[in-house]
Amino acid sequence: MSDTMRKVAIARKIARPNTKEFIEDIFDDFLEFHGDRLYADDGAVTGGIASFEGIPVTVVGIQKGHDLDENVQCNFGQPGPEGYRKALRLMKQAEKFKRPVITFINTAGAYPGIGAEERGQGEAIARNLKEMSNLKTPIISIFTGEGGSGGALALAVADTVWMLENGLFSVLSPEGFASILWRDSSRVEEAATLMKMTAKDLMKDKVVDKIFYEAKEGIENNLQYTTDQIKTALRETLPELRGLSTEGLLGRRYKRFRQYGEFTE
Amino acid sequence: MNLFGKKSYFSLDGNEDKKKNDRRKKRNEPSIPDGMWIKCNTCKSIIYKKEVTEYKLCPDCDAHFRMSPEERIAITCDEGSFTELDSNMRPMNPMRYPGYDEVIENAQKKAGIPEAVVTGHAKIDGYEVVLAIMDSHFMMGSMGSVVGEKVTRAVEYATQYRLPIIIFTTSGGARMQEGIMSLMQMAKVSAALARHDEAGLLYVTVLTDPTTGGVTASFAMLGDIILAEPKALIGFAGQRVIQGTIHQKLPEGFQRAEFQLEHGFADRIVHRTKIREELATILKLHSS
Ligand SMILES: [Zn+2]
């Protein structure tokens, strides 16, 4: 098995710590908030307020379950439009109260369903991209597992983007890539390698700024090994971002996303 | 790749044309040279090409055929007013996708333009605007680095010169062959639009068949005013993906322009012959 395929398998492991477990481990006083105030409460997105070593923060993330019951509750970590709108509501609240936002991303992608389309999945993701690019408070995004396409990007328009050693981020799944572009689902491994979807690849492309390592015995057996690194990074980065003027912060964020793309002219 | 039921017309070649001509001959009608006939993919009528006007509508069922940016400019802008921006921009191969150069070359030959979007500034009924017009004939209008960069620059140009921007969308979504860079274009364009918005400027989208995936989930849905052409396919997830997930039949008219209007995601459905007029009215009401 190729190195990338091994990472794909690890990122999708059902035992992999989910967003609520990361939040509980890293923050204190987490209060989960519910609902998008428009239609429903999407279990695929969790979020609320918490404290990081005395600093009030807003945390939002995509939630997966460890068994079927949990996964029914959180729709296998595939948000609908109400999930993205709930995330945006919490982020706008953070802006109002000048709290930094920390997002956790682990999703195969936005849910493809009839109801999701009826309620504007595309509009919800689009709005998050636009509003996050201009949110007047620091945003830090952490990819903890899968990072599937626009449904992951909708929580990742951040000032700095971090990723776990076995995290992923790609335009679509390697399975989808092989079957659509090559009409050959047996070429998944080749697709995964070509797509450069791992933390190391993404660091080269300047999509990811920092990588956190996972314990040899598996992150599900030693979460603290990784959350200690995350805490250290937050301790350094939060004061840095909070020290910037709003103009400086937004200017930096704009530049970060403005740079992407390869072309000649 | 045909991810969406293709709603374009295409020239009939070889046998089918010959059969048609043979039938005509039998009916003692004048024979017409090859390539003069097209088939409407909506009503399946065989149409004499000259019956299709510059609006590219089916004379039998009024289906709105897919258009090239050049054709779109001709029916939208004041004559001779269009000036193209960034016409020299060309794609590279950020993911080192094998055979990408050839894919691009073929797309360029087929569509007759270097990439899937044409941008520029023009006048509509005397009002100055910035335009971005996508082309589904070029790799299904997919958005890679060039599409993202050209649209972003068009938006930035509009912000700088305090102009409205109108984007005609048609796209299968992010371009898979450019990998993560295609996905990041969604954020890049949306960020530029946020600045245009903050400057108090007008952004209109005209959604045409098909507008899906990463384009829907970024700039297509961000217009102050969202117009859509009749029956255009507009949605986020592809219909095959949805069917593969839920294993049930999709309702009639699912993800069409009328569906988007009904669910509150489009302001108006506008017949193609009326788009220029409606855009002119919108521009007039936003000029002061
Ligand atoms: Zn027809």
Side-chain angles (χ1 to χ4, degrees):
Chain A
M1 198 191 280
S2 71
D3 187 46
T4 305
M5 250 353 247
R6 204 163 27 242
K7 286 186 184 322
V8 170
I10 294 171
R12 291 175 179 172
K13 245 185 174 173
I14 198 152
R16 195 168 176 80
N18 62 32
T19 289
K20 279 185 190 169
E21 288 155 348
F22 276 100
I23 292 173
E24 291 294 346
D25 212 278
I26 298 167
F27 304 94
D28 298 313
D29 301 329
F30 174 54
L31 284 183
E32 186 181 6
F33 295 154
H34 292 275
D36 64 353
R37 297 291 191 275
L38 296 163
Y39 175 75
D41 182 43
D42 189 340
V45 170
T46 185
I49 53 173
S51 153
F52 179 74
E53 298 178 348
I55 305 169
V57 295
T58 286
V59 288
V60 191
I62 301 176
Q63 177 70 9
K64 280 189 183 178
H66 292 307
D67 55 38
L68 188 62
D69 279 353
E70 283 181 18
N71 268 321
V72 168
Q73 292 297 310
C74 64
N75 199 31
F76 296 85
Q78 295 205 278
E82 35 289 342
Y84 295 111
R85 288 176 186 137
K86 170 173 157 182
L88 183 59
R89 179 177 79 83
L90 296 177
M91 290 190 276
K92 295 297 279 185
Q93 193 185 72
E95 181 181 53
K96 175 175 174 182
F97 296 105
K98 308 204 180 329
R99 289 191 290 264
V101 176
I102 296 120
T103 72
F104 291 85
I105 296 149
N106 181 11
T107 181
Y111 185 68
I114 293 176
E117 293 293 318
E118 286 173 339
R119 297 188 298 278
Q121 187 75 286
E123 193 275 344
I125 294 170
R127 184 136 327 267
N128 278 23
L129 301 182
K130 182 183 168 198
E131 295 290 337
M132 285 182 84
S133 78
N134 208 28
L135 198 82
K136 295 167 184 64
T137 196
I139 308 174
I140 296 170
S141 292
I142 309 173
F143 283 77
T144 64
E146 288 185 277
S149 200
L153 182 64
L155 285 184
V157 183
D159 299 303
T160 183
V161 175
W162 302 341
M163 185 174 277
L164 268 57
E165 185 183 353
N166 293 307
L168 307 167
F169 189 21
S170 59
V171 67
L172 82 169
S173 70
E175 289 85 357
F177 190 94
S179 73
I180 295 173
L181 284 183
W182 299 327
R183 292 162 200 251
D184 184 353
S185 48
S186 70
R187 291 170 73 183
V188 176
E189 225 175 291
E190 192 185 339
T193 308
L194 179 66
M195 288 170 78
K196 302 181 183 67
M197 59 198 291
T198 68
K200 261 191 197 162
D201 297 326
L202 293 161
M203 192 119 156
K204 275 186 213 143
D205 280 337
K206 296 182 180 172
V207 172
V208 163
D209 305 307
K210 202 186 277 289
I211 300 174
F212 302 118
Y213 294 92
E214 299 178 24
K216 284 207 169 58
E217 62 268 37
I219 191 170
E220 66 274 24
N221 298 311
N222 188 353
L223 179 58
Q224 208 194 323
Y225 179 83
T226 302
T227 50
D228 278 348
Q229 298 164 55
I230 297 177
K231 284 185 199 175
T232 304
L234 286 173
R235 223 169 274 140
E236 283 169 12
T237 308
L238 277 176
E240 202 182 295
L241 293 175
R242 289 171 83 213
L244 295 169
S245 66
T246 300
E247 206 177 56
L249 181 75
L250 296 182
R252 251 186 55 153
R253 196 182 302 156
Y254 191 82
K255 254 194 217 151
R256 185 179 200 283
F257 288 90
R258 188 67 189 80
Q259 69 178 328
Y260 296 121
E262 263 186 47
F263 49 85
T264 60
E265 56 187 329
Chain B
M1 185 175 57
N2 184 14
L3 287 175
F4 320 95
K6 221 181 200 175
K7 200 167 85 189
S8 63
Y9 64 85
F10 45 86
S11 297
L12 293 172
D13 54 327
N15 289 336
E16 240 184 302
D17 240 13
K18 200 162 167 293
K19 265 186 251 160
K20 178 85 194 176
N21 282 344
D22 290 348
R23 249 185 292 145
R24 292 254 158 175
K25 271 179 205 153
K26 269 180 208 154
R27 283 190 271 158
N28 290 326
E29 283 173 35
S31 82
I32 288 155
D34 281 0
M36 297 299 281
W37 296 95
I38 53 175
K39 185 179 173 187
C40 170
N41 230 27
T42 304
C43 70
K44 313 289 176 204
S45 288
I46 307 289
I47 311 152
Y48 184 38
K49 216 174 183 174
K50 285 197 174 147
E51 277 182 82
V52 179
T53 68
E54 73 269 31
Y55 289 103
K56 303 287 168 198
L57 304 165
C58 172
D60 281 4
C61 76
D62 203 39
H64 287 48
F65 298 141
R66 292 174 185 177
M67 289 182 114
S68 70
E70 193 184 352
E71 291 165 338
R72 183 68 70 175
I73 289 163
I75 62 162
T76 309
C77 304
D78 297 354
E79 213 182 326
S81 71
F82 185 83
T83 306
E84 195 178 352
L85 294 167
D86 301 306
S87 60
N88 294 322
M89 205 186 292
R90 299 288 183 277
M92 288 171 72
N93 190 358
M95 206 176 73
R96 317 284 167 254
Y97 180 79
Y100 191 46
D101 291 352
E102 203 182 321
V103 171
I104 291 291
E105 246 174 66
N106 290 338
Q108 288 171 336
K109 263 183 222 153
K110 186 185 162 209
I113 50 172
E115 252 288 356
V117 73
V118 171
T119 57
H121 56 86
K123 283 184 178 175
I124 296 176
D125 206 21
Y127 297 101
E128 256 188 85
V129 292
V130 177
L131 286 172
I133 306 165
M134 303 185 81
D135 192 345
S136 63
H137 303 96
F138 192 103
M139 293 183 75
M140 247 346 277
S142 59
M143 172 162 63
S145 300
V146 171
V147 171
E149 183 69 18
K150 283 177 89 166
V151 174
T152 301
R153 286 195 196 175
V155 174
E156 288 175 336
Y157 182 94
T159 308
Q160 188 186 344
Y161 294 100
R162 299 201 57 80
L163 292 170
I165 180 159
I166 301 170
I167 304 185
F168 289 85
T169 63
T170 174
S171 178
R175 187 173 299 168
M176 294 169 280
Q177 293 90 336
E178 289 192 26
I180 196 74
M181 278 307 137
S182 299
L183 194 69
M184 302 316 276
Q185 303 309 311
M186 294 167 63
K188 185 166 91 179
V189 178
S190 301
L193 283 167
R195 291 190 159 191
H196 186 261
D197 186 31
E198 283 243 309
L201 302 166
L202 172 69
Y203 171 35
V204 181
T205 51
V206 184
L207 313 181
T208 77
D209 185 70
T211 296
T212 63
V215 166
T216 298
S218 60
F219 55 89
M221 282 293 156
L222 293 175
D224 295 301
I225 297 168
I226 300 180
L227 308 179
E229 288 197 332
K231 299 203 174 69
L233 179 74
I234 302 157
F236 173 64
Q239 299 206 345
R240 278 189 210 171
V241 175
I242 296 174
Q243 251 167 342
T245 305
I246 63 171
H247 306 291
Q248 61 189 72
K249 228 184 144 229
L250 299 174
E252 184 73 26
F254 182 63
Q255 293 182 322
R256 295 284 161 189
E258 296 71 17
F259 168 99
Q260 297 298 348
L261 185 81
E262 188 192 331
H263 289 94
F265 294 99
D267 285 287
R268 296 175 66 76
I269 293 175
V270 186
H271 193 275
R272 193 174 281 164
T273 53
K274 298 272 184 250
I275 288 182
R276 177 183 153 86
E277 195 182 314
E278 289 223 358
L279 288 175
T281 306
I282 290 167
L283 292 169
K284 183 178 81 183
L285 296 178
H286 287 82
S287 67
S288 52

